[in-house]
Amino acid sequence: MMQSDLELSPIGNCQVSTLVDSEGAFVWGCVPRVDGDPIFCSLLNDNARDRGIWRFELEGQARSSQRYERNTAILITRLEAEDGSAVEIHDFAPRFERSGRMYRPVAYARIVRPVAGAPRLRVVLAPMNGYGASLAETTNGTNHIRYLIGPQALRLSTDAPVGYLLEGRSYRVESDQHFFLGPDEPFVGNIRSEVRRMEAMTARYWQHWVRGLHIPLEWQEEVIRAAIALKLCQHEETGAIVAALTTSIPEAANSQRNWDYRYCWIRDSYYTVQALNRLGALDVLEKYLAYLRNIVDQARGGQIQPLYSVMGADQLHEFEAQHLAGYRGMGPVRVGNAAYKQVQHDCYGQIVMPTAQAFFDTRLLRMADERDFEHLEEVGEAAWAKHDQPDAGLWEFRTRQEVHTYSAVMCWAACDRLANVAATLGKGDRVLHWKQRAEAIRAKIEEHAWSEEGEHYGASFESDYLDASLLQMVELRYLKPDDERFLKTFAAVERDLRRGDHMLRYAAEDDFGAPETAFNVCTFWLIEALALVERREEAREMFEAMLSHTTASGMLSEDLDYETDELWGNFPQTYSLVGIINCAGLLSKPWSEVR
């Protein structure tokens, strides 16, 4: 596979995160949360490598290698020099229970250990302000440096020589060194013992979280990595889940398809909690349901936007960050996302389906009640009102609207699941009400989406072009996998959209021309469909091929060039990681083979 600039590894604590390159440099990270100002922005700074970065330069460096501490979000990078000297860097964002609540500060911790020879090191820490507008100014004391970032400074507390850091000088590393970049307040306690204690407690937190997952027998490491990364995409304070940690990594070279994904899409979040649910990670679901309840509360007449900020803000004005050149110089770098203004009717089903679980799952700390059902019925009424109305669709077309089949099926699912909930609550009249609505929507879909001529469902009621989301009709229980209409639709989708071991979203031209890259989640949808129609060996081969395209850290971005195998698009992409989890669960040998 072609080496990608996206050979990056995420660390984080569900408050802040950063992406670390293969040599241990922080190249992307925002404060005070994922949609904040990227103090580390060299990933989108083209060739200005010394701006918006935190890296350790080993004199005479010849090699680097990287791994995560097992079942944790703690990253270990080894740098080796030509003379055999070497250091190990342990990177993490503190996350553990303290004083009865989760400690997850706006902070990054780094430990540098000399492990061979007499390594000489230079520390480059150059955070930026205002989306790359300026380097942060500094003040300092004997054991700390303050970086004046926005309204709140960050303080680096360290037992490394502060003078060498400020002057950018290399020096011999003769003992472990500890760095804590966090709130602008005096560091309490001995930095060496405190940072080590934080590392041990953070490791314990992640190891215990992973221990609670129900994972498949095969591909365990891949599933665990994907699950941890998905959890890092949740903003714990509100429960929101972002689509990716980055903005404006192009979907294809020089395509202008550069979007800000640091927001909570109702659709992406539905798929994320569904995948983590299959692993038994109910903590993510519970927090997300609280976020959804707030969204539903503030929705006017049940009207839901496609996306919101992690704090639930509904205005996400889009602008271009003028001071950042973009990924490999391929601007623009966009902040905000104008898709919040779009009409996308699939979101109603994607609110009802995860929320419906809360009426059935007795493991939850807070099960849903009749009042929640009343609020959810408002969402269902919106689904009913909109099921046959034009929208931008799940691919967010900016210049055209049609009645998209996927959106209509999601509206059907909203009504279908509300009937299930009404039944468990003993509300016979509401069961009948929602069943009738679901049946009426189904009749409309069969009448308008099925093409007798092409013998397949079309992507919209107005035309018979195909898109990969039609494969989701089985996942949503709209069709059974042996249904003749599904089999014919699958054959048509595979014929038109499959490119070798990859899948396009659609082949029709959109606002930016014809798509140039495969959409990774669609490839996973193809793999799932292959398994469901009893082509399991082919599905396994394709799944293994997709896993070969992940980064060394087990991550995937949104898109992949199906000719060069290079990763493109925002990173790490929750959709793509969901695909890894779902396909592994579907294709793995059962545990009963080894137990």
Side-chain angles (χ1 to χ4, degrees), residues 38 46 142 187 204 219 227 238 257 284 301 418 426 524 548 560 571 584:
D46 199 15
T142 50
F187 192 90
R204 190 176 307 128
W219 304 295
T238 61
R257 297 174 189 262
V284 176
L418 278 165
F524 288 119
S548 75
L560 192 143
F571 182 94

Side-chain angles (χ1 to χ4, degrees), residues 215-220 222-223 279 524 527-528 536 540 543 547 578-589:
I215 59 173
L217 171 59
E218 295 182 90
W219 304 295
Q220 293 186 35
E222 291 85 348
V223 168
L279 301 179
F524 288 119
I527 293 167
E528 288 177 34
R536 284 183 69 84
R540 282 179 68 95
F543 184 50
L547 292 178
V578 161
I580 291 175
I581 291 171
N582 289 347
C583 288
L586 192 61
L587 295 169
S588 172
K589 296 170 187 168

Side-chain angles (χ1 to χ4, degrees), residues 14 53 85 119 136 139 153 178 199 252 276 301 303 344 377 426 471 541:
C14 306
I53 200 160
S85 60
T139 65
H178 305 80
E199 182 185 25
L276 287 174
Q303 296 276 340
Q344 296 174 26
E377 283 199 298
L471 300 181
E541 285 170 17

Side-chain angles (χ1 to χ4, degrees), residues 556-577:
L556 281 170
S557 61
E558 181 183 57
D559 308 274
L560 192 143
D561 186 316
Y562 51 85
E563 292 179 350
T564 67
D565 289 342
E566 188 174 8
L567 294 174
W568 288 92
N570 282 310
F571 182 94
Q573 175 76 2
T574 51
Y575 258 158
S576 303
L577 300 174

